């Protein structure tokens, strides 16, 4: 009755009728992905339990993909116990919110967006999934929740909460399986592999996830997105396979038709960035620099964080080839753009800049740049 009156699901824990989890392992051990998502987002929004989320450890041992792609979750049936009905309007709302949260994170960094997204997922989105709906609409709602969950996981990774990010990514993958959504599952697998790769892991499990993402039957734009990352991962294992994946990505991209949205569009600047990462891993620093230059040129004004990160990476590449003055020019612009972005990745780029420039600290322009950086941070 309370759930029906509030138009959202109220758990026994919410009502004080059940003990709240006291460890992060209790929060994540729930096998049902929807119940796990509810528990995690509630903890994010509860100041007394938020600290639990930072106590876990990222684990390669649980880096696995769902095995099947057969929808099996049925929508709630009948009026008893169901808090209302969800329909096309709720599906479209979730699609809009996914775009809004993704754009806000790009414009300002994910630091201040993460909590708002967790609140929307924990209250509105999960509420729609507990509401009555046709089977087709329920699957679409599951897809929407999966995409929002993957996006939240990526924001957590950008905040340094790697174990939590891993759990959200896994939850998003499981929800996409329950929705029968092959494209979102491929994106989830690619995201999980990219997160592990960013943390420095180059194991067969990471490669396996990238391969599974790239071999799924999905739209050409999703395949291109997956193949681009597969090229980066393969560069640490097999040069020929890496270049093959890169070529496949570019061919798929040329014939892809996209619509605006974080899960339906792959910016061309991002493709060039992945090309740069692949070439850099293969030892072609000059080629990587050219690809980064192209990536920066093609980044749209809306890609604020991506543009700034690309600029920092280009400065690092230029310095590695001995072009100090050119690198300083890009790092100066990086310092101008960085204060408006709340992102751990931006902070890591700043740390890398200081480390790389330290041997050149007696160079006048370098000293001025480092002084400027010290004043800002």
């Amino acid at each position: 009755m309370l759930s029906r009156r509030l138009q959202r699901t109220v758990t026994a824990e919410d009502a004080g009728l059940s003990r709240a989890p006291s460890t992060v392992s209790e929060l994540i051990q729930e096998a049902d992905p929807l119940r796990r998502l509810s528990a995690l987002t509630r903890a994010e929004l509860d100041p007394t339990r938020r600290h639990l989320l930072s106590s876990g450890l990222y684990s390669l041992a649980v880096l696995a993909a769902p095995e099947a792609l057969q929808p099996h979750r049925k929508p709630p049936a009948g009026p008893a116990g169901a808090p209302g009905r969800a329909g096309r309007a709720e599906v479209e709302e979730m699609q809009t919110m996914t775009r809004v949260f993704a754009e806000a994170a790009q414009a300002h960094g994910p630091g201040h967006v993460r909590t708002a997204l967790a609140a929307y997922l924990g209250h509105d989105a999960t509420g729609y999934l507990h509401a009555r709906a046709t089977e087709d609409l329920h699957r679409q709602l599951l897809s929407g929740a999966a995409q929002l969950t993957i996006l939240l996981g990526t924001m957590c990774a950008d905040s340094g909460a790697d174990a939590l990010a891993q759990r959200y990514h896994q939850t998003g993958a499981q929800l996409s399986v329950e929705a029968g959504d092959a494209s979102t599952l491929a994106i989830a697998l690619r995201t999980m592999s990219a997160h592990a790769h960013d943390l420095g892991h180059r194991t067969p499990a990471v490669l396996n996830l990238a391969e599974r993402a790239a071999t799924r039957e999905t739209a050409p734009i999703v395949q291109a997105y997956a193949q681009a990352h597969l090229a980066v991962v393969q560069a640490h294992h097999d040069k020929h396979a890496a270049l093959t994946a890169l070529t496949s990505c570019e061919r798929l991209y040329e014939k892809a038709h996209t619509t605006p949205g974080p899960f339906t569009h792959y910016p061309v600047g991002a493709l060039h960035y992945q090309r740069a990462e692949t070439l850099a891993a293969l030892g072609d620093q000059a080629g990587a620099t050219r690809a980064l230059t192209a990536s920066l040129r093609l980044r749209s004004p809306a890609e604020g964080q991506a543009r700034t990160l690309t600029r920092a990476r280009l400065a690092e590449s230029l310095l590695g080839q001995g072009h100090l003055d050119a690198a300083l020019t890009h790092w100066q612009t990086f310092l101008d753009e960085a204060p408006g972005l709340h992102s751990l990745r931006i902070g890591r780029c700043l740390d890398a800049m200081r480390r790389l420039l330290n041997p050149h600290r007696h160079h006048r322009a370098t000293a001025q740049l480092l002084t400027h950086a010290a004043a800002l941070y």
Side-chain angles (χ1 to χ4, degrees):
M1 182 176 291
L2 184 58
S3 294
R4 290 198 298 272
R5 287 181 178 275
L6 293 178
Q7 292 293 292
R8 67 177 179 86
T9 301
V10 178
T11 66
E13 179 189 318
D14 292 331
L17 301 177
S18 177
R19 182 181 65 83
S22 59
T23 66
V24 71
S25 62
E26 289 186 53
L27 284 170
I28 63 178
Q29 68 182 356
E30 172 59 56
D32 181 86
L34 186 53
R35 292 181 63 180
R36 187 191 316 129
L37 177 62
S38 296
L40 289 171
T41 51
R42 283 199 307 271
E44 285 229 40
L45 301 173
D46 184 348
T48 64
R49 291 192 293 153
R50 189 178 300 142
H51 69 281
L52 296 176
L53 300 177
S54 61
S55 63
L57 296 175
Y58 182 90
S59 172
L60 284 175
V62 297
L63 195 65
E67 292 300 324
L69 189 64
Q70 297 179 348
H72 60 271
R73 182 186 295 275
K74 300 295 183 181
R85 178 177 289 277
R88 172 60 57 186
E90 285 71 26
V91 170
E92 293 176 354
E93 175 197 302
M94 290 173 72
Q95 293 170 344
T96 298
M97 295 305 290
T98 302
R99 185 170 61 253
V100 167
F101 283 122
E103 290 175 353
Q106 268 297 325
H108 307 291
H112 296 326
V113 184
R114 172 182 160 185
T115 301
L117 174 50
Y120 179 75
L121 259 175
H123 291 280
D124 298 78
T126 55
Y128 299 153
L129 290 173
H130 285 97
R132 289 170 293 151
T134 66
E135 188 163 339
D136 179 63
L137 285 172
H138 188 67
R139 290 183 186 178
Q140 293 181 52
L141 290 167
L142 282 168
S143 290
Q147 293 177 2
L148 286 163
T149 304
I150 294 165
L151 187 59
L152 179 56
T154 300
M155 291 182 185
C156 291
D158 204 323
S159 302
D162 293 308
L164 180 59
Q166 184 179 36
R167 298 304 180 182
Y168 277 132
H169 289 155
Q170 289 175 325
T171 302
Q174 290 174 308
L175 289 172
S176 67
V177 168
E178 298 202 348
D181 186 342
S183 291
T184 299
L185 177 58
I187 292 170
L189 299 180
R190 195 264 201 198
T191 303
M192 292 163 66
S193 177
H195 182 206
H197 182 271
D198 288 345
L199 293 175
H201 301 298
R202 309 286 187 263
T203 66
V206 178
L207 176 59
N208 179 57
L209 279 179
E211 290 174 332
R212 293 187 63 177
T215 55
R216 294 200 169 272
E217 294 293 329
T218 57
I221 196 63
V222 176
Q223 292 182 44
Y225 179 69
Q227 288 285 346
H229 171 65
L230 177 60
V232 176
V233 178
Q234 282 284 22
H236 299 279
H237 298 270
D238 184 327
K239 179 178 180 179
H240 175 72
L243 294 176
T244 299
L246 196 58
T247 300
S248 175
C249 164
E250 291 166 349
R251 288 175 177 168
L252 286 162
Y253 194 87
E254 288 176 359
K255 68 178 183 180
H257 299 284
T258 68
T259 57
F263 286 80
T264 54
H265 177 65
Y266 185 33
V268 64
L271 186 152
H272 282 283
Y273 187 91
Q274 295 298 305
R275 165 181 271 279
E277 292 294 283
T278 301
L279 295 177
L282 293 174
D284 183 358
Q285 294 302 322
T289 298
R290 289 192 296 271
L292 286 166
T293 301
S295 176
L296 184 60
R297 184 180 70 252
L298 295 167
R299 292 291 191 184
S300 71
E303 296 176 84
Q305 174 169 264
R307 183 183 64 246
T308 302
L309 291 170
T310 301
R311 189 180 296 280
R313 184 71 185 87
L314 176 56
E316 294 172 11
S317 186
L318 286 165
L319 183 63
Q321 295 177 77
H323 305 304
L324 176 59
D325 291 339
L328 290 174
T329 298
H330 284 292
W331 265 318
Q332 180 59 64
T333 306
F334 166 77
L335 290 178
D336 293 339
E337 296 174 344
L341 297 167
H342 303 276
S343 164
L344 183 66
R345 294 177 68 190
I346 295 293
R348 287 172 176 167
C349 286
L350 180 66
D351 291 340
M353 182 197 76
R354 287 172 169 149
R355 183 181 69 256
L356 292 169
L357 286 178
N358 187 56
H360 308 277
R361 62 188 180 278
H362 298 302
H363 179 270
R364 181 176 179 181
T366 302
Q368 292 175 339
L369 184 72
L370 290 173
T371 300
H372 182 201
L376 288 175
Y377 300 92

